[in-house]
Amino acid sequence: ARDLIDRGVTSPGRLACIGGSNGGLLVGNMLTREGARLFGAVVCQVPLLDMQRYHKLLAGASWMAEYGDPDDAEEWKFVRTFSPYHRLHDECLREGSDWRCPQVLFTTSTKDDRVHPGHARKMVRRLLDDVPADKAPKVLYWENIEGGHGGAADNKQRAYMWALTYSFLWQ
């Protein structure tokens, strides 16, 4: 993203990133690290965002070898550095921070059997409750009550989800 901006190919206001599942963790980190400095919009789908509790929800315990054990104080010290939910308070909202949230759409599925929809729900709630409106001007959320980890149960729902996503990005 930075290279595209530096070479004049695009500007932050015209650049977006999108990712789901583990890619949602990556996008959540882009959101809480670079924010609007690099992106005009972010789409975070069925994301893993609260790295302190991920291992207690659904399939999360099976990822501990990959991410670390947040119940171990030494490992949590590291895991916290890439937990978007915690980075909001630790970094983005600390005094003197110039961080701004780009327009963001979170999508999830109530019936996701891998990444609990609570990750997206909590992150949206934190953005709406704790971040001043001028620093997070557009925070949107959509939860499909069916579907699964892919966010949709059938092609009609998948089409709706992507139409919603592309409508958001077109703005």
Side-chain angles (χ1 to χ4, degrees), residues 16-35 39 41-49 82-85 87 99 101-107 123 168:
C17 63
I18 184 170
S21 190
N22 196 26
L25 175 61
L26 175 65
V27 167
N29 270 278
M30 293 305 299
L31 177 78
T32 58
R33 290 174 190 276
E34 297 294 340
F39 300 102
V42 169
V43 179
C44 197
Q45 300 172 315
V46 293
L48 187 60
L49 300 167
F82 63 88
S83 178
Y85 183 74
R87 286 188 52 76
W99 175 85
C101 186
Q103 296 182 71
V104 60
L105 169 64
F106 290 89
T107 67
M123 188 70 161
F168 166 75

Side-chain angles (χ1 to χ4, degrees), residues 85 88-89 93 121-133 136 139:
Y85 183 74
L88 269 178
H89 279 204
L93 298 177
R121 292 172 187 160
K122 286 174 63 171
M123 188 70 161
V124 168
R125 184 81 271 152
R126 182 165 272 185
L127 281 163
L128 293 173
D129 287 351
D130 298 353
V131 179
V139 177

Side-chain angles (χ1 to χ4, degrees), residues 1-2 4-5 10-18 27 30-31 34-44 99-105 135-140 165 167-171:
R2 187 169 285 117
L4 292 171
I5 294 165
T10 191
S11 64
R14 299 192 57 80
L15 190 60
C17 63
I18 184 170
V27 167
M30 293 305 299
L31 177 78
E34 297 294 340
R37 286 189 296 268
L38 283 185
F39 300 102
V42 169
V43 179
C44 197
W99 175 85
R100 290 182 43 78
C101 186
Q103 296 182 71
V104 60
L105 169 64
K135 286 190 151 221
K138 190 175 212 175
V139 177
L140 301 176
T165 299
S167 293
F168 166 75
L169 291 171
W170 186 254
Q171 298 174 31

Side-chain angles (χ1 to χ4, degrees), residues 49-102:
L49 300 167
D50 178 355
M51 298 306 291
Q52 186 173 36
R53 290 179 182 71
Y54 81 91
H55 64 307
K56 298 180 189 298
L57 302 168
L58 302 175
S62 67
W63 309 324
M64 288 175 62
E66 182 177 356
Y67 297 123
D69 181 355
D71 289 338
D72 177 296
E74 193 62 30
E75 289 187 39
W76 170 239
K77 192 173 164 184
F78 171 70
V79 172
R80 187 178 186 114
T81 66
F82 63 88
S83 178
Y85 183 74
H86 295 88
R87 286 188 52 76
L88 269 178
H89 279 204
D90 295 350
E91 300 296 328
C92 302
L93 298 177
R94 70 175 159 68
E95 193 171 328
S97 171
D98 65 347
W99 175 85
R100 290 182 43 78
C101 186

